[in-house]
Amino acid sequence: MKVAANEVPACAQVSLGLMYQEGQGVPQSDVMAVKWYRKAADQGDALGQCNMACSYRKGQGVDRSCLEAMKLYKTAADQGYANAQYDLELMYRRGLGVPPTFFTAMALYKKAAHQGHAEAMSIIGTCT
């Protein structure tokens, strides 16, 4: 798996990052997870960007930075990645890295819901 992740697709890099994050078949290491997420994110992979953003938001494997998290969530959300749209909404709603902005949050919920994101659909249903 390590050879494939060095040479190819971002999906292999994300998979290796997840393995390190969860300690599946390798020693658990947030630092190693971030290493592989960053490689995928640098290739423009939305899941890699979203996972990297989550690492910044939580301070796992990197110094906590809501600003970096926002940038990466936005990049992935702009690609139409529903999970990133949902996570970006949480940042706006909770005021993490930006002032709380309900209308921006709702617009992102709607984008994620239209793509079938179950939690976003549930929230939209309770707010309308």
Side-chain angles (χ1 to χ4, degrees):
M1 183 69 163
K2 288 183 183 181
V3 172
N6 273 325
E7 297 173 358
V8 224
C11 62
Q13 294 167 342
V14 169
S15 293
L16 190 52
L18 289 169
M19 291 172 66
Y20 274 108
Q21 184 178 352
E22 300 297 324
Q24 295 177 348
V26 294
Q28 194 285 329
S29 171
D30 290 334
V31 171
M32 289 300 293
V34 163
K35 171 186 172 181
W36 292 108
Y37 293 153
R38 187 179 315 277
K39 287 178 182 278
D42 288 348
Q43 291 184 51
D45 182 79
L47 179 55
Q49 292 162 344
C50 193
N51 288 354
M52 194 68 223
C54 185
S55 296
Y56 274 116
R57 181 174 52 87
K58 294 179 177 180
Q60 292 178 321
V62 291
D63 290 336
R64 188 171 189 264
S65 172
C66 289
L67 182 59
E68 286 301 315
M70 287 290 293
K71 289 179 191 175
L72 286 160
Y73 280 138
K74 180 158 179 21
T75 301
D78 287 347
Q79 293 180 61
Y81 187 55
N83 286 343
Q85 292 166 343
Y86 180 81
D87 290 339
L88 184 60
E89 173 285 324
L90 291 174
M91 300 286 288
Y92 276 106
R93 187 166 41 93
R94 294 178 181 163
L96 300 173
V98 293
T101 311
F102 176 77
F103 294 109
T104 302
M106 285 307 293
L108 288 162
Y109 266 143
K110 288 178 183 177
K111 284 183 180 181
H114 282 86
Q115 294 182 69
H117 192 281
E119 290 177 64
M121 290 168 44
S122 174
I123 290 167
I124 292 295
T126 61
C127 292
T128 55

